[in-house]
């Protein structure tokens, strides 16, 4: 880890893709993230050993959301319910 040279970071993979396609480095991303930008110049190479990350979704309780956001929260809650058994 100490010998890695990481000159920059990105928040949008779609922006980093242009740099990678130009040969200016590589980008680390989640599996499936490249589906939005298919290119014969890009490939996903899994890291071994596998690294697992955890994410947290947070939203305000009793807040009035847009219909799209409300549907998203409803889907997340259904997924959680199915995961619990």
């Amino acid at each position: 880890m100490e010998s890695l040279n990481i000159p920059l970071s990105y928040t949008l993979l779609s922006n980093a893709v242009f740099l990678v396609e130009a040969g200016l480095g590589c980008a680390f991303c989640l599996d499936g993230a490249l589906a939005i930008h298919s290119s014969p110049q890009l490939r996903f190479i899994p890291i071994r050993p596998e690294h697992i990350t955890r994410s947290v979704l947070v939203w305000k309780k009793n807040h009035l959301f847009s219909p799209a956001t409300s549907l998203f929260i409803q889907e997340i809650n259904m997924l959680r319910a199915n995961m619990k058994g």
Side-chain angles (χ1 to χ4, degrees), residues 28-76:
F28 287 92
C29 64
L30 299 174
D31 189 11
L34 285 175
I36 61 167
H37 186 92
S38 61
S39 169
Q41 297 171 310
L42 302 176
R43 65 180 174 175
F44 181 81
I45 302 171
I47 296 173
R48 300 282 183 236
E50 183 176 295
H51 289 35
I52 298 173
T53 61
R54 305 263 189 256
S55 298
V56 177
L57 293 174
V58 179
W59 56 86
K60 288 185 178 182
K61 194 174 188 178
N62 302 320
H63 183 77
L64 184 60
F65 293 107
S66 70
T69 303
S70 296
L71 183 59
F72 177 76
I73 291 172
Q74 180 181 351
E75 290 292 322
I76 293 297

